[in-house]
Amino acid sequence: MRVALVVAVVAVLVLALLPRGHVVRYAQVKPPVPAAGLKLKYKVDGVNRVAKLQSDLVIGPGSLETEIDLITGDLKGDLTLPPSSGYFIVFGFMPNTAKVELIPTAQVVGKISAGQIKANSQLHIKLSDVHVDGQFLDVGPDCKTETPASIDLEGPFDLAKIPMKATFTIPAFAGCRGAERLDPLFTGLISGPDNKLDMTLTAQL
């Protein structure tokens, strides 16, 4: 009885201290909102056709960790690609080799709509370990495109396997400086429009 009396007195005091017109509202318990994001990891394989050199650069296998908003169709992801070994014929007769790195500068962003996926990737293209006709060519430690290449990919969307294509421009090169300045050489040989990219994303289960 004494416990019940104390509880009643406390309740009366609380109500007395509240300003007039105050309405006591009870907390509403809302059902949990289901998460809209679907996280998937894809293996990335591709081939880049360098227009000026008329040569192919094999890309990957790399990975793309994505999150897809199931309500809006928006997606974002982190792209990781290993270095590629490039083999090019310059001036129609001179063989060249180089290590080519595609370095993301931002997250991949895109949209899924009406069964199609469109996505954009921003990548610096970096050259190292360059050999011309078997002879080492010092390009320095920071030979890469002056700005990132902006690559707009598109293809039919499927959770398991997504083939995508793009046509993009390779920007001018900068920082290619060993014993001599080589920026104009690589810009003239490589940079320009109409480079093709075929890429396949395969879901990792």
Side-chain angles (χ1 to χ4, degrees):
M1 289 291 294
R2 293 185 63 185
V3 173
L5 180 61
V6 170
V7 172
V9 171
V10 171
V12 170
L13 288 174
V14 170
L15 290 173
L17 291 173
L18 290 174
R20 290 188 177 184
H22 182 85
V23 178
V24 179
R25 301 186 184 276
Y26 296 94
Q28 294 182 348
V29 179
K30 296 181 179 180
V33 178
L38 174 64
K39 294 184 178 180
L40 292 170
K41 184 175 182 179
Y42 288 92
K43 184 180 77 166
V44 179
D45 296 287
V47 177
N48 172 208
R49 183 72 172 175
V50 182
K52 280 189 174 180
L53 296 175
Q54 288 297 294
S55 298
D56 292 336
L57 177 69
V58 177
I59 298 172
S63 66
L64 177 64
E65 297 191 23
T66 65
E67 183 173 357
I68 302 171
D69 190 314
L70 298 176
I71 297 174
T72 65
D74 293 328
L75 68 87
K76 58 184 178 181
D78 295 308
L79 177 64
T80 304
L81 293 171
S84 298
S85 296
Y87 178 83
F88 313 104
I89 300 297
V90 178
F91 306 127
F93 68 91
M94 187 178 295
N96 288 256
T97 59
K99 182 169 78 172
V100 183
E101 296 176 77
L102 303 178
I103 305 171
T105 61
Q107 280 193 311
V108 176
V109 293
K111 185 90 171 178
I112 301 167
S113 179
Q116 293 287 308
I117 179 172
K118 294 182 179 181
N120 176 266
S121 180
Q122 303 279 325
L123 301 165
H124 271 302
I125 301 171
K126 183 177 180 180
L127 303 177
S128 61
D129 195 20
V130 178
H131 288 76
V132 178
D133 200 19
Q135 300 298 311
F136 176 72
L137 179 64
D138 185 6
V139 300
D142 198 31
C143 179
K144 62 183 180 182
T145 50
E146 189 171 17
T147 58
S150 181
I151 304 175
D152 291 316
L153 290 150
E154 185 173 358
F157 178 72
D158 184 286
L159 281 176
K161 197 166 189 176
I162 310 172
M164 305 185 77
K165 294 180 179 292
T167 300
F168 68 100
T169 296
I170 297 178
F173 280 82
C176 305
R177 190 182 295 269
E180 56 185 310
R181 182 168 172 262
L182 299 170
D183 301 338
L185 173 65
F186 290 118
T187 296
L189 289 175
I190 302 171
S191 302
D194 299 325
N195 302 282
K196 307 293 184 183
L197 178 60
D198 288 278
M199 186 171 285
T200 301
L201 310 181
T202 305
Q204 301 295 285
L205 303 177

